[in-house]
Amino acid sequence: MPPKTKKKEADGADDKYMRAARFGRVKNDLKMGFVGLPNVGKSTLTNLLAGACHAEAANYPFCTIDPNMVQAIVPDQKFKYLANTWKPPSVVPAALKIVDIAGLIRGAAEGAGLGNAFLSHIAAVDGIFHLVRAFESDEIVHVDDSVDPIRDLETIQYELCLKDKEALGKVIEKEKDRIRKEKGIARTSDPPLGETFKSAYDKCMELIESNTPVQTYADFSLGEVDLIRDFGLITTKPQIYVVNMSKRNFLRKGNKWLPKIQTWVDEHGGGQIIPMSCEFEQELMDLQDDKEAQKAFIQECDDEVKKMGLTGPGFAVKSVVPRLIRSGRQSLCLQSFYTAGPKEVRAWTIMKGTLAPQAAGVIHTDFERGFIKAEVANFDDFKALHKGEKGMAKVKEAGKYRQEGKTYVMQDGDIVVFMHNTTGSKKK
């Protein structure tokens, strides 16, 4: 059994996502990757998220050999409002990088299929969309000849954990080498390991041997997190489970596998589950150039749902693609701030917790080096106060336009002007 997690009352959603991303890189260009068996819909869904056919989607187990990376535009009503307000010639939204990784099969950790290469591709991304197939189709073959999402979840999780177990096997000797070098003792000696290291190692091994992702465990100490970050484990990455259903099951918001998938996820550390249908999303995407046809398609689906006797807001027919993109970004603890003016409205991507000087550096390194202050307006204040004006005059009059210094923690949706001075040459 994995180590027990202490019950915590009212853990906020932000805390959950920060906990999942604590082992990751501190970067603004993080990537999500689709992981799953062959022919579960990874390439199709990657294409849908990008809004274009960037990856070859074919009915062949290894049609995606090299990882295909696309940029998915982040759905953002705040950004859209700013763009519509200023109507500048240049509009640059935020984007999420998504990698389509070829399918794993059982035995991948030992090199079966194209396993070792694919596992290295998974190690290179920062978060995982774990896609499982819950639809029947005579036209799309299943690598194991039958549809069973629980078996597929077990297969993928087992392979990822097996690879992590292999990585852990090298960690102890690497730590001992570090201690020998640090203390200047002979290579033949067997130095004792630190208590924090042993605790971190034991907890990780216990989780991995129970086929449970390391990132789901809540009660690692800060010292343990710092150590585990260097272990190079795949299962420390944030993970979102995506269930690809038939169009009919998606419309009726039901599938015989969903309760079983929920139980399996709960038994393996928990996590977010997003049911969706590539079949539905593809039909909708194919009509993207004809808005009236799209509207008619949604109405046709709505009518089909009503014929099933299903009513209420929970059965409203809409695309899940925006939710997938937002959830992936949230799992990586990424957020946006905006710069807005007559020439350009742009959304800039930063990690939660980023300070104002580092946010300025995302625009240009000189802005961080010569940072003086940030002039900041909250988006909601701007929307409520600007009265149609393309500027901050009304916001300033209301006392809602702030000046922030070097210790200011950027908030999602901040509208910012950075003041900087880089007239002096950089000291070497």
Side-chain angles (χ1 to χ4, degrees), residues 14-47:
D14 283 348
D15 291 338
K16 178 182 69 174
Y17 290 120
M18 290 299 286
R19 189 168 69 233
R22 66 198 149 156
F23 300 106
R25 299 183 301 141
V26 181
K27 296 283 185 180
N28 304 316
D29 61 344
L30 305 181
K31 303 183 289 290
M32 291 293 289
F34 274 110
V35 173
L37 294 178
N39 293 348
V40 297
K42 297 186 303 299
S43 295
T44 299
L45 189 48
T46 303
N47 296 340

Side-chain angles (χ1 to χ4, degrees), residues 158-272:
Y158 174 79
E159 294 301 324
L160 299 184
C161 286
L162 194 60
K163 197 67 177 176
D164 278 357
K165 191 173 182 179
E166 178 186 316
L168 274 179
K170 302 172 184 176
V171 161
I172 288 182
E173 194 53 41
K174 183 179 176 183
E175 176 66 6
K176 287 183 178 181
D177 281 343
R178 185 194 68 78
I179 295 171
R180 291 184 191 108
K181 186 175 181 181
E182 185 179 273
K183 295 186 175 182
I185 56 181
R187 290 185 58 85
T188 54
S189 64
D190 188 19
L193 298 169
E195 289 302 317
T196 303
F197 178 89
K198 287 193 290 185
S199 174
Y201 177 89
D202 289 344
K203 288 176 183 177
C204 287
M205 184 59 79
E206 199 171 345
L207 287 159
I208 287 167
E209 288 184 337
S210 68
N211 216 25
T212 301
V214 171
Q215 59 91 4
T216 62
Y217 184 66
D219 294 317
F220 288 115
S221 69
L222 290 176
E224 289 170 341
V225 169
D226 286 341
L227 289 168
I228 294 167
R229 197 178 285 128
D230 293 330
F231 286 0
L233 306 180
I234 292 174
T235 64
T236 56
K237 300 177 189 297
Q239 191 166 174
I240 296 171
Y241 297 94
V242 184
V243 184
N244 186 10
M245 307 186 294
S246 67
K247 176 184 171 183
R248 177 176 172 78
N249 283 344
F250 172 71
L251 293 178
R252 70 185 186 89
K253 302 293 188 287
N255 178 285
K256 67 179 182 179
W257 292 107
L258 284 178
K260 298 176 183 178
I261 291 171
Q262 181 68 66
T263 299
W264 186 92
V265 170
D266 290 344
E267 290 173 349
H268 291 76
Q272 184 179 15

Side-chain angles (χ1 to χ4, degrees), residues 319-345:
S319 172
V320 177
V321 166
R323 182 186 172 195
L324 279 169
I325 297 170
R326 284 192 294 264
S327 295
R329 197 166 189 252
Q330 190 175 24
S331 76
L332 296 174
C333 289
L334 299 176
Q335 64 184 34
S336 293
F337 72 87
Y338 311 114
T339 52
K343 293 183 179 180
E344 181 180 80
V345 170

